[in-house]
Every structure is written in C-alpha cells, then in structure tokens.
Amino acid sequence: MFGTADLPNGIRLRMTRASDNTTERRIHDANRPELQLLQGGADYIQSILDMQLRARDAEYARRFANALYYMIEKSGDTIGRLVLDFGADGIRIVDLAVLPAFHRQGIGTTVIGAMQRVAATLPAPVILSVRLDNTDAIRLYVSMGFVADGPTEASRLHFQMRWSPPPPA
C-alpha cells in the first residue's frame, strides 16, 4: 500500500522497523491492564505478557502471512500500531492498538477513516474483529458504519464487523 502516509489530525503511518520492537511491546503491554490483577509478582506478569505477545505474533504470521505492519505516530511520537492484510475478501484491520494515554482522542477514527477511503477507491470492504466486551470499540465501529458479520472463526470472544463502500454513482 504505502511506506508512509500523512493522515488528518497530525497522524502519520509508517512501516514498522526492527528498531520498533521495544515500542511495540510497550503498546501491547499497556493495553492489557487486566493482567495487573493477577496474583503474582512483576516477573510472573511479565512472563504472561511475553507469552501473549509471542502467541499473537505467531498467529498473525500464520493467518496473515502478507500483512503490512505500521506504526502510528502523532507529533513525532509513536503512539500505536496497525496491522493490515489486503486479501480477496477486502482490507482486514488485523490489529489496531493505541497507547492508553491517547485513547479517546480520535486516533482510531482517523486511522479507520483513512482505511475506509482507501477501500472505497478499490472498491473493497474493510473487515475487522472485536472482542465482545470491548464496548467502546464496538460503539466507534458502529458509528463509522460497520455492521456485525457474526462470530470469528478464531474465537468465541470476538465477532467480525464489516464496512462496505457505497456503490459507485
């Protein structure tokens, strides 16, 4: 698709580099606050986070071998990550994660809106999956025109949503 892209609201997407590993880990870990509730010390919790990250990366490599990996930047700071897969069924947003300090600032809306604009030119749908308990994300996706497609094949905790571009005039 592209190496870098400047989006509205001061958001920039750029291809992930090997030097982003530490930042990707920070984004991953920061979006799992529920693990802080586990019984055990910091080393135990970090081992769970490490295991989850390795499992996620292996699953993405297996299911989305041709995925494109981007870092999301705002004002020069890396604040999130985006994984896209362009397939026969459309543009799949495999992963969109933003550091909690930047939640509710329109980052997701800006990135998803950009994907919708790209998809409309193809034309192709935008597909994503969301955890059933992630009501904030579901509300955002519905407000952007996504509709529920049903449970994902990978999990009973997620369901798939789809946005289809309007038909050509």
Side-chain angles (χ1 to χ4, degrees):
M1 184 172 134
F2 42 76
T4 61
D6 292 319
L7 306 180
N9 305 321
I11 304 299
R12 179 180 175 99
L13 298 180
R14 67 163 174 81
M15 295 294 292
T16 301
R17 302 182 286 250
S19 61
D20 290 320
N21 286 344
T22 301
T23 303
E24 285 192 81
R25 174 174 294 283
R26 187 167 51 95
I27 293 164
H28 172 270
D29 293 359
N31 281 290
R32 299 204 169 39
E34 71 279 1
L35 292 182
Q36 302 308 317
L37 302 174
L38 289 176
Q39 297 293 323
D43 289 343
Y44 173 71
I45 292 170
Q46 191 58 54
S47 72
I48 299 294
L49 288 165
D50 292 346
M51 180 181 62
Q52 285 184 338
L53 184 62
R54 284 190 308 273
R56 181 204 70 187
D57 289 347
E59 181 69 4
Y60 288 176
R62 184 184 71 75
R63 292 186 58 215
F64 309 105
N66 297 314
L68 301 173
Y69 292 75
Y70 295 94
M71 300 309 290
I72 303 168
E73 297 179 338
K74 182 171 178 90
S75 304
D77 294 323
T78 303
I79 61 165
R81 91 189 277 259
L82 173 67
V83 180
L84 297 173
D85 185 62
F86 290 79
D89 61 343
I91 300 173
R92 180 172 296 276
I93 298 175
V94 176
D95 190 12
L96 172 58
V98 176
L99 287 169
F102 294 91
H103 287 184
R104 298 185 178 271
Q105 294 183 25
I107 310 298
T109 302
T110 298
V111 171
I112 292 167
M115 295 309 102
Q116 288 174 314
R117 287 187 296 281
V118 168
T121 66
L122 295 177
V126 177
I127 304 157
L128 52 78
S129 67
V130 60
R131 282 183 56 103
L132 295 170
D133 63 352
N134 193 345
T135 55
D136 288 341
I138 293 167
R139 196 174 9 261
L140 169 65
Y141 303 147
V142 168
S143 75
M144 297 187 76
F146 283 81
V147 295
D149 233 10
T152 67
E153 57 188 67
S155 169
R156 293 180 192 211
L157 299 175
H158 295 81
F159 67 93
Q160 185 168 281
M161 297 186 81
R162 174 182 307 264
W163 174 86
S164 295

